[in-house]
Amino acid sequence: MALHIVRHPLVEDVLAALRARVTPCDVFRQLARRATRDLALAETWVETPLERAAVKRLGSRVVAVPVLRAGLGMLDAFLELVPSAQVGYFGLERNEETAVARRYYEKVPKDLEGAVVFLLDPMLATGGSAAMAIDGLRGLGAKQVRLLSIVAAPEGVAHLEKVAPDSLIFTAALDRALNDKKYILPGLGDFGDRLFGT
Ligand code: PRP
Ligand code: URA
């Protein structure tokens, strides 16, 4: 499994603001740019007004799958970058006592086999939610899954290394650890609650 920690002065600056308040778009745009820059291209032809020209287009369909709820905060920025992306949804919720995720909803495009699937979830804590989503996407045929998170804990990265070693993780920060309630330290609190004011 490859872990990419996206280091960039603008990412550091926005991350500082993000830890204090919810402004996910800027930091996420940088991450999404980094995570999409090696997408494979396919050669094809188009007719310009003057002649036939060789061009390159994305070689695979791109599917964005935000994890409800917090991943919704990353979707607009992703679609700005890849307007042609199809969108699916995974509804996952951690139990407040046990921190174990439960899958309560899913709706994803058909034929994931040939697509590059970007799983959008800002927080990678125990890794239970991401592992469940990746497993679900694999079960639906996805071969290539890239997780875009904003803050990751070492425990979550280690868990994905174990259960989904061929997935790619892009994150803006690898934080210190989890607390006894499985929240990331220093982290930024409960992303979904802060994003939606609950
Ligand atoms: C948060 C977050 C991840 C999950 C990460 O969602 O958005 O999905 O926790 O934790 P894990 O790595 O330990 O599984 P939460 O379950 O709080 O749901 P919400 O977005 O609806 O608030
Ligand atoms: N989910 C969050 O939103 N924040 C954490 O720190 C851990 C899980």
Side-chain angles (χ1 to χ4, degrees):
M1 188 186 69
L3 171 67
H4 301 271
I5 301 173
V6 178
R7 300 243 183 260
H8 188 287
L10 298 177
V11 168
E12 289 293 329
D13 189 63
V14 178
L15 190 59
L18 185 60
R19 288 194 195 274
R21 59 196 161 86
V22 172
T23 50
C25 279
D26 298 4
V27 69
F28 182 62
R29 276 193 196 106
Q30 297 278 351
L31 267 175
R33 270 194 206 102
R34 171 66 185 78
T36 49
R37 84 177 175 206
D38 66 338
L39 283 177
L41 292 168
E43 298 193 350
T44 181
W45 297 87
V46 295
E47 295 293 337
T48 78
L50 301 175
E51 63 178 27
R52 197 162 187 249
V55 293
K56 291 179 182 159
R57 312 230 32 184
L58 284 181
S60 308
R61 280 184 303 122
V62 171
V63 177
V65 180
V67 174
L68 305 178
R69 297 170 298 168
L72 287 177
M74 304 163 83
L75 183 60
D76 284 354
F78 190 87
L79 290 177
E80 264 177 39
L81 193 66
V82 193
S84 62
Q86 293 176 290
V87 180
Y89 296 90
F90 252 87
L92 300 176
E93 184 181 31
R94 290 200 323 176
N95 179 296
E96 283 183 9
E97 304 300 322
T98 62
V100 174
R102 170 181 74 89
R103 187 163 150 183
Y104 62 86
Y105 180 75
E106 82 185 43
K107 182 78 87 177
V108 295
K110 292 193 178 67
D111 304 328
L112 293 184
E113 284 84 357
V116 186
V117 180
F118 289 85
L119 185 62
L120 313 182
D121 192 338
M123 307 304 281
L124 176 63
T126 64
S129 304
M132 193 172 273
I134 292 171
D135 186 56
L137 290 165
R138 289 262 162 74
L140 295 165
K143 299 275 182 282
Q144 284 191 63
V145 181
R146 299 178 181 205
L147 170 66
L148 272 58
S149 84
I150 293 179
V151 180
E155 292 89 334
V157 173
H159 184 59
L160 289 188
E161 247 161 17
K162 208 159 59 185
V163 301
D166 51 353
S167 46
L168 295 178
I169 305 174
F170 294 84
T171 188
L174 183 60
D175 273 11
R176 192 173 76 247
L178 298 178
N179 69 9
D180 58 0
K181 295 205 166 348
K182 309 294 183 199
Y183 276 85
I184 302 173
L185 298 174
L188 49 76
D190 188 304
F191 200 104
D193 282 354
R194 293 185 58 193
L195 187 61
F196 295 108
T198 45

